Amino acid sequence: TTAKIMAYLLVALLVVYAFGLFNAYNLGGMALLSNAVLLMAVAVAVTLVTEAVWAKVLKQDIKKYITNSFGWITAVILVLCVKADTSPYAIGVATFIAIFFGKLVFGGFGQNIFNPAAVGRAVIISSFAGSKIADAMAGATPTATLSSAGWLLSNEAAASFAGDFSLASLFLGNYGGALGETSVLILVLCGIFLSVKEVIDWRVPAVYVGTIFLGTLIIGLVNGCGVSFALNFIMTGGIFFGAVFMLTDPVTNPTTRAGKIVFAGLAAIFTVLIRLFANLPEGVCFSILLVNMLTPVIDKFFACKQTDNEKKYNIGLPVFVLAV
């Protein structure tokens, strides 16, 4: 059932959030930890109030509407997409836009064409990038460091980067970054859990991360950066978080298996292009929004192919039976 799927998803998200709180405390003490808790409280509260008012306007039962809308899932995902030092005001505005404009105006749960959490994160990136609590988190993130260097590091720069952010630290997640995006280990384990429970289709994150790795491996080898470039590329920023919790959103995904693979592959290409050639350090959020726009086209193409194959099968089967 949808409720059981969302319950499994919430469990995985809360595991990621728990690690985010632990990491926030290690980086900034109680001040950063308290702000991370406040961000979640604000996001969930704004979600519930927004959906309650919407249900009231539509003259629907508020409790039933909120229960079947699962808006808190969007709120949790959005909080995990931002740093622990983000201002509560920024997360409140972004959550309202994510819920109202990203979901409700399209008809509510199951009708939205864009991933609501990605919409909220786009608002944070574009309008509230500097809206933070004062001096809570010091030091550059690995994504910002790589982006400022143009991603393609020289041998000297690569050695300096490895000294600050080793592959082990990137894998475990003990560095500054978005609350839910630092630990590749936690995200991989959550992805396996959700795949086993059949909450997500494992092909989507596998194709997405695999395509990014192969593409950046080729780029790294051509430019003399080696395999470390590809490993640093996939383990920084929101690639694994986006792969497990955002790209797999069944509402904004194509319905066919082939469509999902193309969807994930295109998202991977957009992520690499945005990171390498745009003025943004992160490309996951906008790549997800771009492929969300392409979902109807992908669905139409592969649904037609599937229908054509079924027609051929339905025509051929009686002929085969008669021949036998």
Side-chain angles (χ1 to χ4, degrees):
T1 63
T2 302
K4 191 172 184 179
I5 289 173
M6 291 300 175
Y8 283 133
L9 183 59
L10 183 61
V11 168
L13 287 168
L14 291 179
V15 169
V16 176
Y17 180 56
F19 177 82
L21 293 178
F22 170 77
N23 200 34
Y25 179 77
N26 285 339
L27 293 170
M30 282 303 300
L32 201 59
L33 174 63
S34 300
N35 195 67
V37 174
L38 181 59
L39 292 177
M40 185 64 73
V42 169
V44 173
V46 169
T47 297
L48 296 178
V49 170
T50 302
E51 294 196 334
V53 172
W54 183 259
K56 185 70 174 177
V57 170
L58 296 180
K59 298 181 179 179
Q60 296 189 25
D61 182 83
I62 294 176
K63 182 179 179 181
K64 184 177 180 181
Y65 187 89
I66 292 177
T67 302
N68 294 326
S69 180
F70 304 103
W72 57 84
I73 295 293
T74 296
V76 174
I77 292 176
L78 179 55
V79 171
L80 292 177
C81 287
V82 302
K83 295 180 183 179
D85 62 352
T86 302
S87 75
Y89 170 75
I91 200 69
V93 173
T95 302
F96 170 76
I97 294 175
I99 296 298
F100 185 76
F101 293 101
K103 187 172 75 169
L104 295 181
V105 296
F106 288 100
F109 179 73
Q111 305 298 319
N112 49 290
I113 63 172
F114 294 107
N115 184 293
V119 172
R121 183 170 186 179
V123 171
I124 293 284
I125 294 172
S126 60
S127 302
F128 295 100
S131 184
K132 303 175 181 179
I133 57 175
D135 302 324
M137 184 183 292
T141 64
T143 309
T145 302
L146 288 171
S147 177
S148 63
W151 289 95
L152 294 168
L153 301 177
S154 63
N155 291 333
E156 295 79 9
S160 175
F161 179 82
D164 296 330
F165 305 104
S166 65
L167 290 176
S169 67
L170 293 178
F171 184 71
L172 296 176
N174 53 341
Y175 61 87
L179 275 166
E181 295 178 353
T182 60
S183 178
V184 173
L185 174 61
I186 297 294
L187 293 169
V188 169
L189 292 176
C190 287
I192 293 173
F193 167 75
L194 293 175
S195 297
V196 170
K197 295 297 183 180
E198 297 183 347
V199 174
I200 66 173
D201 186 342
W202 64 268
R203 297 171 186 83
V204 174
V207 170
Y208 178 66
V209 176
T211 301
I212 292 176
F213 178 78
L214 291 176
T216 52
L217 177 62
I218 294 171
I219 294 172
L221 293 175
V222 169
N223 288 275
C225 298
V227 69
S228 62
F229 171 68
L231 292 174
N232 287 329
F233 199 99
I234 65 171
M235 289 199 288
T236 55
I239 286 179
F240 274 89
F241 183 83
V244 173
F245 291 108
M246 299 177 78
L247 272 174
T248 53
D249 174 21
V251 176
T252 56
N253 264 9
T255 55
T256 63
R257 181 176 297 176
K260 291 178 187 292
I261 293 173
V262 171
F263 175 87
L266 287 174
I269 294 171
F270 286 140
T271 300
V272 174
L273 291 177
I274 292 172
R275 282 191 173 188
L276 293 181
F277 300 110
N279 294 323
L280 295 169
E282 181 64 87
V284 176
C285 167
F286 290 102
S287 69
I288 291 172
L289 293 174
L290 286 170
V291 291
N292 285 164
M293 289 189 288
L294 297 175
T295 294
V297 177
I298 296 172
D299 251 342
K300 184 176 181 180
F301 178 81
F302 286 102
C304 289
K305 293 291 185 182
Q306 183 171 302
T307 302
D308 291 342
N309 290 336
E310 288 176 354
K311 287 180 179 178
K312 292 178 182 177
Y313 173 79
N314 290 334
I315 293 173
L317 182 61
V319 174
F320 172 76
V321 170
L322 288 173
V324 173

